[in-house]
Amino acid sequence: MVTIQAKKLMIINILDILKKYSDEDHRLSQKDIADILKSKYEMVADRKAIKRNIMNLIDFGYDIQYSEKVRNIVDKNGNEEETVLLSDFYLNSDFTDVELRLLIDGVLSSKNMPHTHQKKLIEKIENLSNKYFKSKVQYIRSVSDNSIQNKELFYIIEILDEAISKNKKVSFYYNEYGTDKKLNPKKNNNGIEKEYIVNPYQMAVANGRYYLICNYDKYENMSNYRVDKISNIKILKEKRKLIKEVKDYKDGLNMQKHMAEHIYMFAGESIRVEMQAKKYIVSELIDWFGKNIEFRNETEDEIVAVVNINKNAMRRWALQYALHVRITQPQELVDILKKDIQDAYNNYYFDF
């Protein structure tokens, strides 16, 4: 026997039905809604009540679309009158399927998040759409979990967010993974776990990882720390240093510039680098360094590229692209790379 729920729940249930069972390709009639109310929500409602509640939802600001059909009906007295019938109801979701797909791809590409957390978050994203969207993304359940993650990641992000918003310093331990596959705090020269105290300014995502962009009181540059390697984090009572007091950041933190100059999120100052590059990697150069990269002296096969970038980051990148680019300036970096390449050769050279 169907239990008739309180009428005040009807509007909530109808909204839930529109969220779960409708979209532009799956429209519902008043009868469809009545049937779902009865079978799924144990609620009996006539068409007039359904129509009235849907109109109320529209008045409340919900983007509910429908079609109108004019029909002539005969009343009890045999008089014919014109009436407007509403049908084909569907709720325009706040997110399109493509947007939800992008959100899910972002979750899957994260190297910070354990598989179990990924799965729970994806389920929440799925619930932002209707039941038809879920059927399109079942294959994401097979995502493997090959990386090692910090299970306190979400808590650490929450604490950092609070500290940044309140302009407070933070303290934490910074860890490295050992052969035991666990995070082990770095130690000072006396073998004691080292406590880091920094001025936090921003969190950013690079290479699938979260990074904290911060400053030490005694230094005039920015440092970048992987958030998943942080532990024992605390918000301190002391106010953080104003960002305009940090050298080269008097106008604030330009995130686009900072990320372009720190492609591997190494700390340290940026330098001006010139390189001779093959033209077929121009697209990759722009992907890595952004549109602020300078090009000149173009020939049929090569081009000179100029970038401002962190020296350590450029050292790693140049080795990665050694077959396609040759660093020409500054000479100090050229000398370092020559030695790196020679050391790499020696590492592979065997005298039989």
Side-chain angles (χ1 to χ4, degrees):
M1 182 177 178
V2 175
T3 302
I4 301 177
Q5 294 189 12
K7 289 185 178 180
K8 62 184 179 182
L9 295 178
M10 185 179 297
I11 192 168
I12 297 174
N13 291 340
I14 290 175
L15 177 60
D16 195 46
I17 288 170
L18 291 171
K19 285 181 177 179
K20 289 181 179 178
Y21 298 95
S22 76
D23 58 29
E24 191 172 2
D25 297 322
H26 302 86
R27 307 185 184 206
L28 301 174
S29 66
Q30 292 180 49
K31 182 180 183 303
D32 293 331
I33 296 172
D35 290 343
I36 298 173
L37 276 172
K38 185 176 181 179
S39 62
K40 302 292 185 181
Y41 299 81
E42 298 185 337
M43 175 174 281
V44 175
D46 58 32
R47 297 189 182 191
K48 288 184 179 180
I50 291 171
K51 176 182 175 181
R52 182 174 63 254
N53 280 280
I54 290 177
M55 292 300 103
N56 286 336
L57 287 170
I58 293 173
D59 290 340
F60 291 154
Y62 287 96
D63 187 5
I64 299 172
Q65 301 296 313
Y66 58 89
S67 64
E68 296 181 350
K69 296 179 182 178
V70 179
R71 290 186 181 179
N72 293 325
I73 62 173
V74 179
D75 63 18
K76 296 179 180 179
N77 300 320
N79 298 318
E80 189 176 277
E81 60 180 22
E82 191 176 86
T83 186
V84 177
L85 298 179
L86 306 185
S87 190
D88 300 328
F89 296 98
Y90 70 93
L91 176 67
N92 268 327
S93 176
D94 291 334
F95 297 93
T96 66
D97 285 0
V98 173
E99 290 170 336
L100 294 176
R101 177 72 261 179
L102 289 173
L103 290 175
I104 289 174
D105 288 343
V107 172
L108 294 176
S109 64
S110 172
K111 298 176 182 178
N112 299 286
M113 202 178 303
H115 177 58
T116 53
H117 287 182
Q118 283 185 338
K119 185 176 179 181
K120 290 178 181 178
L121 186 51
I122 287 170
E123 288 174 352
K124 291 180 180 180
I125 294 174
E126 287 179 344
N127 288 332
L128 294 174
S129 187
N130 52 44
K131 69 172 188 175
Y132 309 106
F133 174 77
K134 292 182 181 180
S135 64
K136 301 176 185 177
V137 291
Q138 290 301 312
Y139 67 90
I140 62 178
R141 302 291 187 243
S142 62
V143 175
S144 60
D145 185 25
N146 296 323
S147 57
I148 306 170
Q149 300 92 0
N150 183 347
K151 294 181 179 179
E152 295 184 351
L153 176 67
F154 292 153
Y155 170 75
I156 295 168
I157 291 174
E158 183 179 341
I159 294 297
L160 285 172
D161 187 58
E162 181 181 351
I164 292 169
S165 65
K166 292 182 177 179
N167 299 314
K168 298 289 188 179
K169 290 185 177 182
V170 294
S171 67
F172 56 79
Y173 293 147
Y174 197 60
N175 304 267
E176 294 291 351
Y177 286 110
T179 54
D180 58 359
K181 300 180 182 180
K182 295 180 180 179
L183 285 170
N184 300 292
K186 286 189 171 184
K187 298 180 180 180
N188 59 25
N189 294 333
N190 297 322
I192 300 173
E193 293 180 351
K194 182 179 178 181
E195 184 180 46
Y196 292 71
I197 298 177
V198 302
N199 303 295
Y201 297 112
Q202 185 75 47
M203 283 181 284
V205 178
N207 307 312
R209 302 285 189 186
Y210 282 103
Y211 287 85
L212 170 65
I213 302 172
C214 58
N215 162 263
Y216 287 95
D217 280 339
K218 64 180 180 179
Y219 296 124
E220 292 298 325
N221 61 354
M222 290 291 180
S223 296
N224 305 302
Y225 289 100
R226 270 178 51 177
V227 175
D228 63 306
K229 289 188 175 183
I230 289 174
S231 65
N232 294 78
I233 189 167
K234 297 175 184 177
I235 299 177
L236 305 181
K237 293 181 179 180
E238 187 179 354
K239 287 281 188 180
R240 71 181 181 191
K241 180 197 298 185
L242 296 176
I243 195 168
K244 65 181 181 181
E245 297 176 9
V246 182
K247 184 181 178 182
D248 298 329
Y249 292 90
K250 291 181 173 58
D251 296 323
L253 178 60
N254 184 326
M255 282 300 298
Q256 184 177 4
K257 179 175 180 291
H258 184 86
M259 299 302 287
E261 294 180 4
H262 297 79
I263 54 177
Y264 296 111
M265 297 305 285
F266 290 132
E269 295 182 348
S270 295
I271 59 173
R272 185 175 176 84
V273 175
E274 294 187 15
M275 69 186 92
Q276 194 80 26
K278 303 295 184 182
K279 282 182 66 176
Y280 57 74
I281 69 162
V282 165
S283 181
E284 291 182 64
L285 290 172
I286 293 175
D287 284 343
W288 278 100
F289 303 110
K291 293 186 178 179
N292 288 329
I293 188 172
E294 299 176 26
F295 292 120
R296 61 185 185 216
N297 300 340
E298 181 177 356
T299 66
E300 184 176 348
D301 300 316
E302 294 187 333
I303 195 167
V304 172
V306 183
V307 297
N308 289 310
I309 187 169
N310 173 272
K311 183 172 73 173
N312 290 326
M314 193 65 206
R315 179 181 179 183
R316 175 184 287 190
W317 186 90
L319 291 173
Q320 180 180 345
Y321 279 82
L323 296 177
H324 315 286
V325 303
R326 179 170 60 87
I327 306 302
T328 57
Q329 292 291 337
Q331 188 60 43
E332 177 190 6
L333 181 59
V334 173
D335 294 339
I336 291 172
L337 289 167
K338 283 181 178 179
K339 185 177 184 306
D340 287 341
I341 293 170
Q342 184 63 52
D343 289 345
Y345 171 79
N346 293 338
N347 196 39
Y348 282 92
Y349 181 78
F350 299 94
D351 187 9
F352 293 102

